[in-house]
Amino acid sequence: MTVFRISEVASLLDVSPDTVRRWVDSGRLAAERDEHGHRIVSGADLAAFVRSPAAAETAFSSARNRMRGIVTDVVRDGVMAKVEIQAGPYRVVSLMSREAADDLGLEPGVVAVAVVKSTNVVVERAE
């Protein structure tokens, strides 16, 4: 059975480890202790939590499709631009019009949000 440590759950759900601990302490998320006393969450329990009404009360309702990160590279030509974003452990690459990249002010070091829908990646400038 797949199990996750508190820090792994936090990373997967884009919340702090303290938030996950509060969910466990309040009974919203089931967890057990391993042989070293660390809290662990089974993959099945985590999946059930994410699908549950308790999860709907959190701020990650569509986080699975929105990845905040930092722009690491922008390559522009006459018509198109390739934008690379590092969002946590993920490298997201988007191809867009040069005009869109210019309008968004995308440059290395800018914080942006990659919005993934099916096979398309939409990039928004983060506030």
Side-chain angles (χ1 to χ4, degrees):
M1 172 174 56
T2 302
V3 295
F4 299 95
R5 295 182 65 152
I6 294 296
S7 61
E8 293 171 315
V9 172
S11 178
L12 285 168
L13 300 182
D14 196 28
V15 297
S16 74
D18 285 337
T19 296
V20 177
R21 285 186 199 94
R22 283 192 294 275
W23 291 341
V24 170
D25 292 344
S26 70
R28 290 175 63 190
L29 176 60
E32 298 177 8
R33 299 252 180 201
D34 66 11
E35 62 275 7
H36 304 289
H38 298 124
R39 291 187 249 200
I40 55 172
V41 177
S42 76
D45 286 338
L46 180 57
F49 171 75
V50 171
R51 290 189 308 265
S52 74
E57 298 170 13
T58 67
F60 64 86
S61 63
S62 64
R64 65 189 177 277
N65 296 328
R66 300 174 64 85
M67 295 179 282
R68 184 181 169 136
I70 187 164
V71 175
T72 57
D73 192 30
V74 180
V75 177
R76 292 173 168 87
D77 68 13
V79 177
M80 298 297 295
K82 179 182 81 164
V83 178
E84 295 184 24
I85 298 172
Q86 190 68 38
Y90 305 104
R91 177 178 165 259
V92 181
V93 179
S94 178
L95 300 176
M96 66 180 67
S97 70
R98 179 188 179 125
E99 180 180 0
D102 290 345
D103 288 349
L104 290 170
L106 297 176
E107 298 292 340
V110 168
V111 175
V113 177
V115 181
V116 180
K117 178 67 176 165
S118 186
T119 59
N120 298 314
V121 176
V122 178
V123 176
E124 299 174 341
R125 177 84 185 257
E127 297 297 324

